[in-house]
Amino acid sequence: MPEGDTVWQSARRLHDALAGKVLTRSDLRVPRYATADLTGRKVLDVTPRGKHLLARVEGGLTLHSHLRMDGSWRVYADNQRWTGGPTHQIRAILGTTDRTAVGYRLPVLELLLTTDEHKAVGHLGPDLLGPDWNPEAALANLLQDPARPLGEALLDQRNLAGIGNVYKSELCFLLGATPWLPIGALPADRAAHLPTLAKKLLEANRDRPVRSTTGRRGQDLFVYGRSHRPCLRCHASIRSADQGDGSRERPTYWCPHCQTGPAPSPHRGAPSETHPRTSRRTAN
């Protein structure tokens, strides 16, 4: 599942493959930009911003993409077979003399003036893996609405940028609070530690092929995707239910023993047993 660390890895692969090189192929397969042609322009850099990717090219243009749940960018050497999915899922192709970047299932793809990047990412809070990271500002953003459930506040990219559903569940476990606890009810010492802990987790995983929050080989995550399996700390059965992020419901995982706070009743409708996507990231 693409979160801030995955997007950071994608940006690094794209930057290493394209930056400083002139595009010899450009194909944007969305109706609005079907006639746009970036060939002949040099790629200046590829930068992550939270869960967003910004590929800047000569002439003051930026190709903005967002992976959301299913999108991915893959980089291929000359004559290498493309394996990211069927052809009809390709949304963008950027090629140089020796590398080709292919964007699959990109739900957001737009060509902007570089001076207008703020229209795409200006709403984001401090980036956990970015140069603008500010833990005090992130905490202040989170606490603006003290009644908001902790899990929802963590997913809101306006508060801090880079956390997705996996890190939401894992952070709540490490903080010892259920995702439904009002964030204002989180003890002050744990709230103050939250931004630092979130940054530590993403930084530790931005260079790893397999995301891990536990430090245990073969037991990579504490709760995410482990419904009905024993907690790695107390051996209680991990539970799951849906929780919204303000726009849609997502499967959420927690330990009823290690985490305190409100949680959905198992008798109030069936908790979600959706099988999550693996935390293993494909090397593109």
Side-chain angles (χ1 to χ4, degrees):
M1 179 180 296
E3 304 198 18
D5 53 345
T6 311
V7 174
W8 190 92
Q9 291 180 7
S10 295
R12 183 175 61 179
R13 285 193 294 272
L14 290 169
H15 182 86
D16 290 347
L18 303 177
K21 300 178 182 178
V22 174
L23 292 174
T24 58
R25 183 176 181 183
S26 166
D27 187 359
L28 305 182
R29 298 183 180 180
V30 293
R32 185 176 179 182
Y33 303 108
T35 60
D37 186 5
L38 300 177
T39 57
R41 298 175 187 257
K42 182 186 293 185
V43 177
L44 303 178
D45 65 80
V46 182
T47 299
R49 181 72 173 86
K51 300 182 187 180
H52 299 252
L53 282 163
L54 303 170
R56 303 181 180 111
V57 298
E58 281 183 327
L61 294 176
T62 295
L63 186 64
H64 165 235
S65 59
H66 194 298
L67 306 181
R68 289 191 181 164
M69 295 291 290
D70 301 313
S72 70
W73 278 97
R74 305 220 175 181
V75 175
Y76 300 100
D78 193 27
N79 297 323
Q80 184 179 0
R81 182 171 173 264
W82 297 0
T83 58
T87 301
H88 72 266
Q89 293 183 349
I90 295 174
R91 296 293 177 265
I93 302 172
L94 299 176
T96 67
T97 55
D98 62 347
R99 291 287 186 274
T100 302
V102 184
Y104 290 91
R105 300 171 299 279
L106 300 175
V108 175
L109 185 70
E110 58 180 343
L111 193 60
L112 306 169
L113 293 174
T114 300
T115 53
D116 287 341
E117 285 181 0
H118 64 278
K119 295 180 180 179
V121 297
H123 66 288
L124 298 176
D127 186 347
L128 282 155
L129 295 178
D132 70 320
W133 173 242
N134 184 323
E136 292 79 16
L139 182 59
N141 291 343
L142 287 164
L143 295 177
Q144 277 185 344
D145 184 356
R148 193 174 191 186
L150 173 60
E152 289 187 21
L154 288 172
L155 285 179
D156 191 334
Q157 303 300 294
R158 296 170 297 181
N159 292 331
L160 68 173
I163 292 177
N165 213 34
V166 177
Y167 282 119
K168 175 196 77 171
S169 294
E170 295 296 291
L171 278 166
C172 288
F173 176 82
L174 292 168
L175 291 167
T178 70
W180 291 270
L181 180 76
I183 192 167
L186 190 67
D189 59 334
R190 284 186 254 175
H193 184 54
L194 192 163
T196 301
L197 179 60
K199 182 174 179 61
K200 180 180 178 179
L201 287 182
L202 266 72
E203 280 193 333
N205 283 287
R206 68 182 184 184
D207 293 316
R208 291 174 176 166
V210 180
R211 183 183 289 135
S212 175
T213 58
T214 65
R216 305 180 187 183
R217 181 172 296 182
Q219 296 177 323
D220 299 310
L221 302 175
F222 283 108
V223 292
Y224 187 84
R226 302 190 68 249
S227 182
H228 298 312
R229 297 171 65 185
C231 174
L232 298 181
R233 285 185 177 172
C234 72
H235 304 294
S237 181
I238 299 298
R239 292 181 58 190
S240 67
D242 284 341
Q243 182 185 38
D245 64 351
S247 63
R248 59 182 172 179
E249 298 292 301
R250 303 185 184 190
T252 299
Y253 302 84
W254 79 101
C255 173
H257 181 265
C258 294
Q259 295 172 251
T260 59
S265 167
H267 305 294
R268 193 188 68 196
S272 168
E273 299 301 335
T274 303
H275 294 288
R277 300 179 186 279
T278 176
S279 62
R280 185 177 298 274
R281 277 81 56 88
T282 303
N284 302 11

